[in-house]
Amino acid sequence: MRVLVIEDERRLAENVARSLKENAAWAVDVALDGENGLHLAESVNYDLIVLDLMLPKMDGLELLRRYRKQGHKTPVLVLTARDEKGSVVTLLNAGADDYLAKPFDLGEFLARAKALVRRAKGQPTPLLVVADLEVNTIERSVRRAGRDITLTPMEYRVLEYLAHRPRAVVSKTELLEHLYDYNWEKFSNVIEVYISGLRRKIDDGAPVKLIRTLRGQGYALRVEEGRR
Ligand code: CA
């Protein structure tokens, strides 16, 4: 997953970004003002946007309205200061999906962030299940047919993204865009490496293969047709 954090308090932005990277294994971009934030939000297909309200150049509410007016559906989690609580109704009506009043607990922030991403992708719980494969997004652990599988951090990122959208075909470009922050193009050759690592660890020796490569289209996590 890839998250955009729009927050002008540099320390808070860094803390939030670090906790998303370390505890959720997500890629994070940071914008320190509203104009830059809107520009990034419009140019990258993020999985979540974390938006501060009081921002230089363009405030968060204005940014949110413009972003939603263009039809973007990415979930937005708004960070409010205590004295902005009265505007919660305005925020939700403007298209915010959730909000958190500062100061907040990073654990609660992470849980809300994960819930928003999950819901946006149609997954009701943190345990993602595809056939006999289980991806636990809280523990970041993976099991197949009851057997624990140890993945590298990047293999896990790839698998988590695919498992949020089981059966969908995900192109290599989409994977790259959602797994890395700035400069993702330079990683374009490594996706195959992660996929083959996943295939070896998850599918080798299993009667049913789950990691699918669709030539010229991308990858999917699903039971092969006809072998259900
Ligand atoms: Ca601020």
Side-chain angles (χ1 to χ4, degrees), residues 6-9 12 32 52-56 79 84 102:
I6 310 174
E7 165 64 76
D8 60 320
E9 285 168 60
L12 180 58
L32 297 170
D52 182 34
L53 273 192
M54 296 286 282
L55 291 166
L79 306 179
E84 291 162 343
K102 297 179 193 175

Side-chain angles (χ1 to χ4, degrees), residues 169-172 214-219:
V169 178
V170 178
S171 72
K172 191 167 97 171
L214 294 102
R215 201 167 293 279
Q217 298 178 64
Y219 308 98

